[in-house]
Amino acid sequence: MNEVAFFTQYPEVSGDCGFPIYLEDEQSLSYVPFDHTADFTIMLGSSYIGLDVNSQTGLVSQISGFVPKHTWSNHELYLPMAQKGKLYAQLATPMIKGGGIRYGVEWPVKFCSMSKCLCIGNPMHGDQNERIQFCNGVIAELDNSKIISLWIALDRQWGRQRKRQGDG
């Protein structure tokens, strides 16, 4: 498995104009507007959820991927406090445009229907862990330059259907 180190930059902010959405018909997470400069994916474990990264700069701009609801377990969750900033990924080898890697092992998916908060990874907060909101509604929790969880606020656009071409 490839080694990835994540690092942060404050107080600069990226992804300040969009929001994460869950697309019911596709059973997937996406980000609106979608950042098409992200051309490399860091897949979380064996899931189909990925961090979308610009291969030239290493900037992590958003999340996206397949995450069917039947894989979610109910859990009381609240979005943790986080500082806004930029999240970068650094690999030992160059990122290839259009490529990707697998990161970590199994990532459990927890959801709270009251707060509309989704946690991918470990939902337990460590006091010493760093938490960064690298795009609106998405927080990465890091422990010594390793992501241990992603927190996603889905309260803005829950269960949206993607508008298809030709739909009225």
Side-chain angles (χ1 to χ4, degrees):
M1 191 166 355
N2 294 305
E3 280 295 313
V4 182
F6 293 92
F7 60 98
T8 57
Q9 184 177 27
Y10 302 103
E12 294 185 39
V13 178
S14 62
D16 223 13
C17 62
F19 55 91
I21 60 170
Y22 185 75
L23 300 167
E24 286 278 348
D25 56 337
E26 297 178 11
Q27 299 182 73
S28 65
L29 287 171
S30 190
Y31 204 80
V32 175
F34 194 82
D35 178 7
H36 293 284
T37 66
D39 56 7
F40 187 86
T41 303
I42 299 174
M43 300 301 289
L44 302 179
S46 60
S47 72
Y48 292 100
I49 296 296
L51 297 169
D52 299 325
V53 182
N54 180 303
S55 63
Q56 299 300 306
T57 64
L59 179 67
V60 180
S61 60
Q62 64 197 16
I63 55 154
S64 64
F66 181 68
V67 59
K69 282 186 180 178
H70 70 83
T71 64
W72 304 4
S73 62
N74 291 325
H75 202 79
E76 186 174 337
L77 299 171
Y78 297 96
L79 212 58
M81 296 296 294
Q83 187 174 352
K84 288 184 177 185
K86 290 185 178 182
L87 179 66
Y88 290 89
Q90 184 174 26
L91 278 64
T93 59
M95 293 183 209
I96 309 278
K97 185 177 182 175
I101 61 164
R102 188 178 128 195
Y103 176 76
V105 291
E106 291 296 321
W107 289 66
V109 180
K110 312 271 186 193
F111 179 71
C112 180
S113 58
M114 297 238 337
S115 67
K116 299 287 190 265
C117 180
L118 188 72
C119 176
I120 300 169
N122 182 358
M124 303 306 292
H125 303 296
D127 290 339
Q128 302 303 313
N129 294 344
E130 181 178 13
R131 290 182 259 325
I132 181 169
Q133 181 176 311
F134 62 94
C135 58
N136 278 342
V138 184
I139 295 169
E141 185 165 357
L142 291 88
D143 181 8
N144 294 319
S145 77
K146 303 289 181 200
I147 290 181
I148 59 169
S149 62
L150 286 176
W151 296 83
I152 301 139
L154 292 172
D155 56 344
R156 183 152 178 195
Q157 292 288 329
W158 173 250
R160 182 173 145 170
Q161 300 285 317
R162 186 180 299 266
K163 189 171 184 175
R164 290 183 169 72
Q165 191 172 15
D167 288 353

